[in-house]
Amino acid sequence: MSSTQRQWFKHGFLNTIEHAVTRFSDAGLSLVLIWALSPENFGKLALAQAWVAPMLLFFISPETVLYRDYSKWKDEGRTAFSARLKALRLMGWAKAQAALIISVIGMFFLPLGESSLWIRFSILLWAFSFTIAPQIGGADREFLRVGLRLRELNIVSLFQKLSLLLVTITVGLFYPSRFEFLAAGSVFSALSSAFLARFFALRALRAMPDREIKGLPDPMSTLLESFQTFAIWNHLAGVCNNWVLTLDLFCLGLVFTGHVSSPASIGLYAIALKIANFSLALPTALTNFFMVWIGHQKPAHSGNSWVREELTQVKKLGLQVAGAAALQNLVLWLVSPFILNLLSHGRWTPDEQLAIQNWLKWILLGTTLYIAALVPAYWMIVRGQVRKLTVQVYIPWLVSAFAIYCGVAGYMRAEASQYSEIPLNWLAMANVVVGALFPGLVIQFIGRIKRTS
């Protein structure tokens, strides 16, 4: 192994660790809440997350342009780079303020039955801060990642997740119904980790070489350039992707709001969905580092001819990730009875645990099919096809998934009127259809790109 290969292996290992810490800690936090809260209370948190997901459409992350322009900005020197990074940083803090305002407005509309406005506000604030915590300090975090300052990035992620985990465990054990304590802990974790990321980023900037320039880059021009050429489309693709992953729960809450048996049933289904989140940890980490690595490489040829040159490598890596995901998900399903028994600690009946395990089987199968197309999708984003990919893959996938889930939920509502419980098996099985749609759309998209290359 050459020194360059060893260096990239080291970077890849550290990047994978950072993503693994993030994904597994998020899933671990959910498991703590599942263990500590009643299905009704956990269902409230899960529904708030599902309702926050579409609002993230307006939380654009301009810092993702660093994947494309890092080398160009670095050549401008430390002073100019600092000015550009400051513009991106201000956008992150503006999103934190927007989340607070939306939580105040949204507490009047969140469908949580007889819950007070204070509880609704606390739950929404928790959901927002839990979701956008990496975005508040996103500019500094992505600078550390793309600049290969991965040790510092791991420290930031570890601090954020450990502080949030400590608060969640404390509240879950001693104050399981105090949603405001959960919200306060999540906000503290998000803000303090953003300050820590800024500290490491400023230290890294001081080590960069500088050069004389006539004038600093205008903050607004930096943001507009990012929005117009990359960030909006990349953000829209990410929002579509994340929304689809919780869209079944969103449609379930939308259709069954006010149904007498819905809170407990939705809470149990949300438990299956949260456990399935474990399956996204390793594949997402691997594909993200692939995105960083390929961003440092130049296409073999100009124009679109790079498609044919790189496609063989992409297919090979994509199959490896898909195979690993399939094996991982099979193991996760096989051990799920033990996990459910541990999390239940006597609160769920054997029939309820069996139902969760059955839903988990279908959700994991759909997740495996989705993961199979992650590598080629990320590849097309870095290679400048993000706008076309969003329009031709992610938006059609979102629209199709919404139609499928709402259609199935509507059918279940009609069936539920004849029974005391909601027949959720149909919704779980719909995950397989939605999961299969994604690789189908990606394959068609790459085929069109190849024909024009």
Side-chain angles (χ1 to χ4, degrees), residues 166-178:
L166 180 61
V167 170
T168 303
I169 292 175
T170 303
V171 175
L173 289 177
F174 301 106
Y175 309 99
S177 298
R178 301 299 297 269

Side-chain angles (χ1 to χ4, degrees), residues 265-283:
S265 299
I266 292 175
L268 292 172
Y269 185 86
I271 290 168
L273 202 60
K274 288 297 183 180
I275 293 175
N277 283 348
F278 276 117
S279 66
L280 295 172
L282 184 59

Side-chain angles (χ1 to χ4, degrees), residues 72-82 208-211:
K72 183 178 71 174
W73 289 3
K74 187 177 180 181
D75 289 340
E76 296 176 350
R78 179 179 66 245
T79 304
F81 199 114
S82 299
M208 289 178 59
D210 204 0
R211 60 184 57 187

Side-chain angles (χ1 to χ4, degrees), residues 148-417:
L148 301 179
R149 297 273 184 163
L150 297 170
R151 291 184 185 276
E152 291 91 337
L153 180 62
N154 271 280
I155 292 173
V156 173
S157 296
L158 192 61
F159 170 80
Q160 178 196 341
K161 296 306 179 182
L162 284 180
S163 60
L164 184 58
L165 180 62
L166 180 61
V167 170
T168 303
I169 292 175
T170 303
V171 175
L173 289 177
F174 301 106
Y175 309 99
S177 298
R178 301 299 297 269
F179 295 110
E180 66 271 29
F181 291 171
L182 279 177
S186 187
V187 169
F188 167 79
S189 175
L191 298 183
S192 57
S193 61
F195 281 115
L196 184 60
R198 181 176 182 271
F199 168 77
F200 284 127
L202 292 177
R203 191 171 69 175
L205 282 169
R206 286 194 292 269
M208 289 178 59
D210 204 0
R211 60 184 57 187
E212 293 185 7
I213 55 175
K214 294 182 178 180
L216 292 177
D218 179 63
M220 188 57 65
S221 64
T222 298
L223 291 173
L224 288 177
E225 180 183 357
S226 173
F227 289 149
Q228 293 172 355
T229 63
F230 187 86
I232 286 181
W233 295 107
N234 184 63
H235 170 74
L236 186 57
V239 169
C240 291
N241 180 82
N242 292 334
W243 196 10
V244 170
L245 296 179
T246 59
L247 196 55
D248 50 347
L249 189 62
F250 177 86
C251 292
L252 188 61
L254 186 67
V255 173
F256 280 92
T257 297
H259 191 276
V260 65
S261 63
S262 62
S265 299
I266 292 175
L268 292 172
Y269 185 86
I271 290 168
L273 202 60
K274 288 297 183 180
I275 293 175
N277 283 348
F278 276 117
S279 66
L280 295 172
L282 184 59
T284 303
L286 292 174
T287 48
N288 179 268
F289 181 68
F290 168 74
M291 191 175 182
V292 173
W293 175 81
I294 203 168
H296 279 258
Q297 315 302 314
K298 293 184 178 180
H301 300 285
S302 59
N304 278 340
S305 59
W306 50 265
V307 175
R308 299 182 185 275
E309 296 293 328
E310 296 181 355
L311 190 55
T312 300
Q313 184 179 7
V314 170
K315 285 180 178 178
K316 180 180 178 180
L317 181 59
L319 289 174
Q320 291 173 343
V321 172
L327 179 61
Q328 167 197 261
N329 289 355
L330 176 61
V331 172
L332 180 58
W333 183 71
L334 290 175
V335 301
S336 61
F338 170 77
I339 296 174
L340 292 173
N341 186 60
L342 181 66
L343 294 174
S344 171
H345 55 91
R347 294 178 303 159
W348 311 330
T349 67
D351 287 343
E352 288 175 334
Q353 294 185 45
L354 188 62
I356 296 173
Q357 187 184 5
N358 187 51
W359 301 332
L360 184 62
K361 172 183 64 180
W362 297 112
I363 296 171
L364 286 175
L365 181 55
T367 302
T368 303
L369 294 170
Y370 156 75
I371 290 172
L374 275 184
V375 170
Y378 276 44
W379 168 58
M380 299 306 291
I381 287 175
V382 179
R383 285 300 183 229
Q385 302 295 319
V386 62
R387 183 182 66 82
K388 291 182 180 179
L389 188 74
T390 302
V391 173
Q392 298 180 28
V393 174
Y394 281 101
I395 292 178
W397 187 42
L398 172 63
V399 173
S400 300
F402 185 81
I404 291 170
Y405 284 136
C406 281
V408 172
Y411 170 78
M412 291 191 309
R413 178 64 189 259
E415 291 293 310
S417 62

